Amino acid sequence: MPAARPARHTAPAAGNGEPPAVRLPGSFEDFYLQEYPRVVKLAYALSGSRSGAEDIAQEAFLRAYRDWQRVGSYEHQAAWVRRVAANLATSGLRRRLLEARALARLAARRQPALDPLPAENADFWRAVRALPHRQAQAVALYYLGDLSIQQTAQVLDCAEGTVRAHLVKARRTLARRLHLDTWEEEP
Amino acid sequence: MNVDARARASAQAIDRSATRVNPFAGLDDLLRRRRRQPLQRAAAVAVALLVMVVAVWAGGVRLGPTPVQPTPGPVTRIAVGPMPVSVAVTPGTAWVLDGSTPIITRIDARTGRLQSTFSASFAQQLDGYLVFAMAAEGRLWVVHWQDLRGAAMSVIDPSTGQKLMTFVFGGHVLQALNKPGDITVGSGAVWVALQADDQVKRFDAATGKLLDQIPLPEPTALAVDGKTLWVATADGRLRSIDTGTGAATVRATTEMVTRIRVGQGGVWLMTYDGKVLRLDPRTGQIVARVPGTFQAADLAVGTEGVWAYDQHQGTVLRIDPSTNQVDRIIPVISQPLVELDSRVLALGDGAVWVVDKGSEALVRVNPNG
């Protein structure tokens, strides 16, 4: 699933009829240090792999780094990298590539930085991963990333109504599969 | 507890699990990776070639004693590599697929000695991803990526190692995440559950011709038993389909099922959360839920019995069909790799076989040892 191009942040128009200037990229390092833990957690939730989650996050940041001149000028850089990570974590073929790296980490005896989840929480995320993947991404972004509906829609590059629909369907399915009470209130 | 509260609690659990994530270490790693990528690609190709040469030499020339690391008890470890992903067993032979190169390793099932390796030239696309293998109707069936549009399956004559035919599914199947679907072979047909495409396809096993497409919402698992095809869908329904007439009947509703296996007097189901259930094929009733704290990741049923693989504990479990209880737990893997979809268990030649991905080994378990 190719990541769609997010909107660019632009400076206010100069008023002279010229197109607005494109924002200059900021520091990749600052961006990385701020966002990396969040993206690792998102990848962990959506992949279920303690060792693979950091590889997924790094792959997403590596893509941003390679094209930082362009990505760095986006208004929503964090949304871009989260979308890439979410797509990597829910794409079977691409995830296999990253699993190969995770295996190499295991072979090198590097312990994953993520701790195992308690059984009840692991069950929840396992059920999330069994959802249709756009629903799974919406749940992970909304709850884990603590994003608003609007921000989740930005990451998923879809309408806010679509995110609401994904969340409602996902909650119903999760409630049924995990024997929980439903929660129908609109977010 | 409602689903919203559980979601928030589970999100907090992920936050707590990530306290040791160090972005500074990750940045160093990232920059190193950025610098060494061209070199890595060249090195990976060189290593793969070297492994192939050594493996062929070891199997073809050095016909010495069994190249295994014996451990006490009924478990034997056979070194394979570099990235084993699946095993299938035909009489006298275990076949191990490699996930990083299109290499299939042939192992003598009785001695554990490596017999030969060969490159699966049919799977050269997309870096030659081999996904999964199974043995059925006297042949070896190997699922691999065809192209970005989907997967395919090649049929191999186990006596010659030659490819006989390739089926192109026209859709994704056996993805590690998302919608894995399933494949089964039996009664002269290949059945493919394309979960993302909401259909089951039937191919002629002899000619590869597409015979039928059955619309079903998100089929997750299937198995064929004579004239009955069992199909589970993501909504938890289990249907039996008469393969002659196509008539479908909903027989049971349960949690989402990801494996169906037939044998030992029952239809055995593995749910998405690792429980094992038994269904009576005559009544369609769930007659047992195998008790225990295990979380099965794969399930196999054959003359060797009913076996499950618990990837969290790295154990195989034998289920006694007369009591529907686990009667044996055998540790096989000390550092198991936990995956969402794991197809690493096979039965055959009087043994239980498990792929140890983390240690690049094939584990042979003697069920009577």
Side-chain angles (χ1 to χ4, degrees):
Chain A
M1 185 187 309
R5 182 189 297 255
R8 286 184 163 195
H9 174 76
T10 55
N16 57 5
E18 292 183 3
V22 174
R23 181 181 127 176
L24 292 174
S27 156
F28 175 81
E29 284 79 2
D30 290 345
F31 167 67
Y32 176 92
L33 294 173
Q34 182 181 330
E35 291 296 324
Y36 180 73
R38 293 176 188 148
V39 177
V40 169
K41 287 184 268 187
L42 176 67
Y44 184 25
L46 288 173
S47 72
S49 170
R50 288 168 55 209
S51 49
E54 285 200 82
D55 286 294
I56 289 168
Q58 289 213 2
E59 180 66 28
F61 279 103
L62 189 58
R63 292 180 187 195
Y65 183 78
R66 281 186 196 135
D67 203 8
W68 186 243
Q69 195 66 26
R70 180 173 63 89
V71 177
S73 68
Y74 291 160
E75 181 182 10
H76 303 298
Q77 301 152 354
W80 188 92
V81 84
R82 283 179 194 189
R83 185 187 312 161
V84 172
N87 287 340
L88 285 169
T90 50
S91 160
L93 177 59
R94 285 176 285 185
R95 183 172 174 265
R96 284 174 60 83
L97 282 162
L98 296 161
E99 268 184 5
R101 285 195 198 138
L103 277 168
R105 280 170 178 264
L106 276 180
R109 298 289 182 264
R110 287 179 56 182
Q111 291 300 312
L114 291 156
D115 296 324
L117 295 175
E120 185 178 75
N121 306 119
D123 284 348
F124 175 82
W125 290 112
R126 193 177 299 114
V128 169
R129 291 190 292 273
L131 293 170
H133 79 265
R134 291 299 263 182
Q135 290 182 29
Q137 290 175 343
V139 169
L141 288 163
Y142 181 73
Y143 286 105
L144 186 60
D146 208 18
L147 302 184
S148 65
I149 294 289
Q150 183 191 15
Q151 290 167 320
T152 304
Q154 254 168 14
V155 175
L156 294 178
D157 195 28
C158 63
E160 291 178 28
T162 306
V163 171
R164 288 182 204 280
H166 283 324
L167 288 173
V168 167
K169 285 181 187 170
R171 287 194 195 102
R172 284 180 188 157
T173 306
L174 291 170
R176 190 176 69 244
R177 288 183 182 163
L178 296 170
H179 308 293
L180 297 168
D181 297 332
T182 52
W183 193 81
E184 295 291 351
E185 185 183 335
E186 285 295 311
Chain B
M1 181 181 271
N2 70 39
V3 67
D4 185 68
R6 172 70 72 83
R8 293 186 190 285
S10 298
Q12 287 167 3
I14 291 229
D15 279 338
R16 287 193 296 273
S17 80
T19 52
R20 288 188 294 116
V21 170
N22 179 354
F24 292 96
L27 183 59
D28 288 345
D29 229 21
L30 182 79
L31 297 176
R32 265 201 306 276
R33 185 179 293 179
R34 166 70 173 164
R35 284 195 294 270
R36 75 186 177 213
Q37 270 202 337
L39 277 176
Q40 265 187 337
R41 288 200 184 112
V45 170
V47 167
L49 285 172
L50 183 64
V51 166
M52 275 182 68
V53 169
V54 170
V56 168
W57 174 80
V61 180
R62 195 189 62 176
L63 297 175
T66 307
V68 298
Q69 300 168 347
T71 52
V75 175
T76 305
R77 300 180 64 79
I78 302 166
V80 292
M83 195 205 295
V85 291
S86 182
V87 60
V89 184
T90 58
T93 306
W95 306 78
V96 180
L97 306 192
D98 187 90
S100 61
T101 58
I103 292 175
I104 299 176
T105 300
R106 184 177 174 151
I107 293 167
D108 186 308
R110 294 182 183 91
T111 66
R113 194 169 59 212
L114 188 147
Q115 293 179 316
S116 64
T117 63
F118 61 94
S119 178
S121 56
F122 51 81
Q124 296 293 356
Q125 298 292 320
L126 296 175
D127 298 330
Y129 272 114
L130 304 176
V131 180
F132 163 57
M134 59 185 165
E137 305 205 326
R139 292 175 175 177
L140 178 68
W141 308 75
V142 178
V143 179
H144 53 91
W145 289 100
Q146 175 73 7
D147 55 33
L148 284 172
R149 287 167 299 175
M153 181 164 69
S154 291
V155 191
I156 293 175
D157 180 341
S159 63
T160 64
Q162 297 298 307
K163 185 191 81 169
L164 302 174
M165 195 189 325
T166 295
F167 296 79
V168 177
F169 298 143
H172 287 289
V173 70
L174 302 180
Q175 290 189 17
L177 286 169
N178 295 345
K179 300 180 175 184
D182 200 7
I183 297 174
T184 190
V185 179
S187 300
V190 174
W191 302 85
V192 184
L194 296 168
Q195 188 179 351
D197 295 339
D198 295 327
Q199 61 176 315
V200 171
K201 287 185 177 178
R202 178 166 66 109
F203 296 86
D204 186 310
T207 65
K209 185 181 172 190
L210 176 63
L211 299 175
D212 204 1
Q213 297 180 74
I214 305 169
L216 280 174
E218 294 197 47
T220 56
L222 40 71
V224 67
D225 178 24
K227 290 186 176 178
T228 301
L229 177 73
W230 294 93
V231 185
T233 47
D235 58 5
R237 289 183 178 156
L238 183 73
R239 293 172 173 85
S240 64
I241 297 177
D242 185 311
T243 57
T245 65
T249 310
V250 175
R251 303 296 294 275
T253 302
T254 178
E255 302 98 305
M256 188 171 83
V257 168
T258 56
R259 295 280 190 289
I260 306 174
R261 299 287 181 261
V262 180
Q264 298 283 342
V267 174
W268 302 84
L269 314 173
M270 186 182 86
T271 63
Y272 79 99
D273 57 350
K275 307 287 188 298
V276 176
L277 317 178
R278 181 177 184 171
L279 178 135
D280 183 330
R282 288 170 303 168
T283 64
Q285 299 292 310
I286 303 287
V287 293
R289 291 175 180 267
V290 178
T293 56
F294 62 87
Q295 288 189 351
D298 205 354
L299 181 68
V301 178
T303 54
E304 294 81 2
V306 180
W307 290 83
Y309 168 59
D310 183 340
Q311 65 179 352
H312 292 271
Q313 302 301 322
T315 56
V316 289
L317 306 93
R318 186 172 69 184
I319 297 165
D320 182 345
S322 64
T323 63
N324 299 320
Q325 305 224 356
V326 174
D327 70 348
R328 196 143 183 231
I329 300 175
I330 304 173
V332 291
I333 296 174
S334 59
Q335 290 186 307
L337 188 68
V338 176
E339 301 173 294
L340 191 61
D341 190 64
S342 184
R343 291 177 183 263
V344 295
L345 181 67
L347 302 178
D349 220 69
V352 181
W353 303 81
V354 188
V355 173
D356 181 351
K357 294 184 177 181
S359 301
E360 299 175 357
L362 176 64
V363 182
R364 183 185 191 280
V365 182
N366 179 356
N368 305 310

